[in-house]
Amino acid sequence: MGKRRADSAGPSSAGRGERLVNIFFDVDNTIITWDVKLRPGVHEVFTRLREDGHTIYLWSGMGPRWEVVQRFDLHEHVADCFWKPLHNHHARMEELGITIFPDYVIDDHVEIIHAFTGSHVPEPMLPLDRDKVMWRVYDEIAAHVSRTQLD
């Protein structure tokens, strides 16, 4: 599967003075369920994040998950996929070929949130149509961007 250029991620909000961020989403139990269903709101939140000018990446401890991008038609949203470092997070980035620094991460494992900055999510709620976690994540990213603009 080919890579999409990060600068084609969507309309830029840089002209509005907003800080654009590289957002890394974990895959299993974060954007997909244990039985490989897409978590509700993923397409809508990814669309909004891109419209805000941010760049979305997927990473997983199981390697680059292009099959998830393909299966759920996420091509227009995802700039690239990487192996996720499961320990020594910062030190292993070069070894794993991660060429972009994650400004914000979303994961079901709290260790990765502590290593970087981000949102911890529980595994998807059942019944799945009641799960609204992705919208909370969007709000947390927006709040993070607002806070970092003040720096």
Side-chain angles (χ1 to χ4, degrees), residues 25-28 58-65 82-86:
F25 282 84
D26 176 52
V27 177
D28 297 298
L58 298 185
W59 64 359
S60 170
M62 295 175 56
R65 301 295 297 278
F82 299 103
W83 278 94
K84 179 176 71 173
L86 300 178

Side-chain angles (χ1 to χ4, degrees), residues 65-118:
R65 301 295 297 278
W66 287 111
E67 79 281 2
V68 172
V69 173
Q70 176 74 29
R71 180 174 184 161
F72 296 107
D73 195 25
L74 299 172
H75 295 93
E76 69 180 296
H77 303 301
V78 176
D80 209 344
C81 295
F82 299 103
W83 278 94
K84 179 176 71 173
L86 300 178
H87 58 87
N88 297 332
H89 305 290
H90 292 269
R92 295 197 64 223
M93 288 180 57
E94 183 177 351
E95 167 195 342
L96 294 173
I98 303 167
T99 57
I100 307 294
F101 187 82
D103 296 310
Y104 200 88
V105 299
I106 298 86
D107 206 293
D108 61 312
H109 292 283
V110 71
E111 301 83 25
I112 199 91
I113 305 304
H114 291 302
F116 297 96
T117 297

Side-chain angles (χ1 to χ4, degrees), residues 11-20 48-54 138 149:
S12 174
S13 57
R16 297 191 306 254
E18 295 177 8
R19 181 175 177 269
L20 306 180
R48 294 264 314 260
L49 290 170
R50 286 184 52 246
E51 287 172 352
D52 292 346
H54 305 303
Y138 178 82
Q149 285 179 336

